[in-house]
Amino acid sequence: MIPRWQRILFGILLGSSVLMGIYLFHLHRKRREQLAALSDATPISAPYTADAESVTLAIANDADGSITPAEEQIGLPTEQGARARAILERLLARYALPKSTHLLASGQAVDDVFLLPADVPKPTDTTSVAVSISEPTENVSKLAVINLHGAFVQGHPSGILPEMLTIQSILGTLHNNLPQITQVRFLVDGQQVQTLAGHADLTRIYPVTDTTTQPANPDAQSQDNDTP
């Protein structure tokens, strides 16, 4: 016959095991919920409390290679670099939507935007940007150093057209909303890289201009092709 103290000890151990199992199950479920929340990379607008402002995005279309304007209402911060980042995040978030005309991967694309006087020598990393940055007056032309997330660059479609459309869309959007920005330079995770996804040059400084283009006319193209 099993001694009474052994039965008590066995009951205590069994109860402890059951409680431990319940606790571990609870932790596992909570952890899964946290991971699910982190893996949901659907882009959302930054939670600015400012009144909504009208911005004009330069929307790319892979089907016809065009860049067309589209107005949206978003809340924006007052600091110019933060405004540029918020506008670009809205632009690139739009490309992650299911019916996007220029489909890109979801997730945060722009880590930060630094604004420098346009005649400052080009930086090679964010450390040099941080050292040389000084807030210029509002009337001075500015160079925007756009620091992209590495994951965004790694997931970007490769090809001359999709890469150039992304850059032209960014340049046109900045031109439409922040006219004091006259030049743009790109970094990736704070470092200079050669290309966006194998084609578009990221080592150069781009002039910020109106990149709006109209869709090609299929009838006109057909007539051109038929012309001897």
Side-chain angles (χ1 to χ4, degrees):
M1 183 175 179
I2 301 176
R4 183 170 179 272
W5 68 268
Q6 288 185 350
R7 293 199 302 269
I8 295 173
L9 180 60
F10 177 77
I12 293 173
L13 292 175
L14 180 62
S16 300
S17 299
V18 171
L19 292 175
M20 182 61 71
I22 295 173
Y23 177 69
L24 291 176
F25 176 77
H26 172 73
L27 285 181
H28 177 69
R29 185 173 65 177
K30 185 175 181 181
R31 181 58 177 166
R32 287 186 61 184
E33 292 174 352
Q34 292 174 342
L35 290 175
L38 289 174
S39 64
D40 182 8
T42 302
I44 59 175
S45 301
Y48 298 118
T49 58
D51 294 336
E53 300 181 36
S54 178
V55 298
T56 302
L57 307 180
I59 301 300
N61 190 325
D62 292 338
D64 53 27
S66 64
I67 302 284
T68 55
E71 288 194 6
E72 287 198 15
Q73 297 288 325
I74 62 174
L76 294 173
T78 57
E79 196 274 321
Q80 294 300 301
R83 288 174 72 88
R85 179 180 179 273
I87 293 172
L88 293 181
E89 277 292 346
R90 172 58 69 92
L91 170 71
L92 298 174
R94 181 164 173 160
Y95 291 140
L97 299 177
K99 295 184 179 180
S100 168
T101 58
H102 179 64
L103 190 62
L104 300 178
S106 62
Q108 190 174 3
V110 180
D111 182 63
D112 213 336
V113 177
F114 302 95
L115 297 185
L116 306 173
D119 56 350
V120 168
K122 62 182 182 180
T124 57
D125 55 46
T126 50
T127 301
S128 61
V129 172
V131 170
S132 61
I133 188 168
S134 59
E135 191 64 27
T137 63
E138 293 301 318
N139 296 325
V140 174
S141 296
K142 299 176 184 178
L143 165 71
V145 181
I146 301 174
N147 188 29
L148 300 173
H149 275 283
F152 169 77
V153 173
Q154 291 173 7
H156 195 285
S158 179
I160 296 176
L161 180 61
E163 293 177 45
M164 287 309 303
L165 282 177
T166 295
I167 291 177
Q168 290 172 1
S169 177
I170 291 173
L171 297 176
T173 297
L174 292 177
H175 175 271
N176 293 338
N177 301 283
L178 296 164
Q180 66 271 33
I181 296 177
T182 59
Q183 296 177 324
V184 162
R185 177 165 176 76
F186 293 96
L187 299 176
V188 179
D189 289 337
Q191 302 296 324
Q192 177 182 303
V193 300
Q194 295 296 314
T195 64
L196 180 55
H199 300 84
D201 186 6
L202 293 189
T203 64
R204 56 170 291 193
I205 292 178
Y206 285 89
V208 175
T209 59
D210 183 4
T211 57
T212 301
T213 57
Q214 296 301 318
N217 188 330
D219 294 335
Q221 284 186 334
S222 177
Q223 292 175 3
D224 291 341
N225 292 335
D226 293 340
T227 301

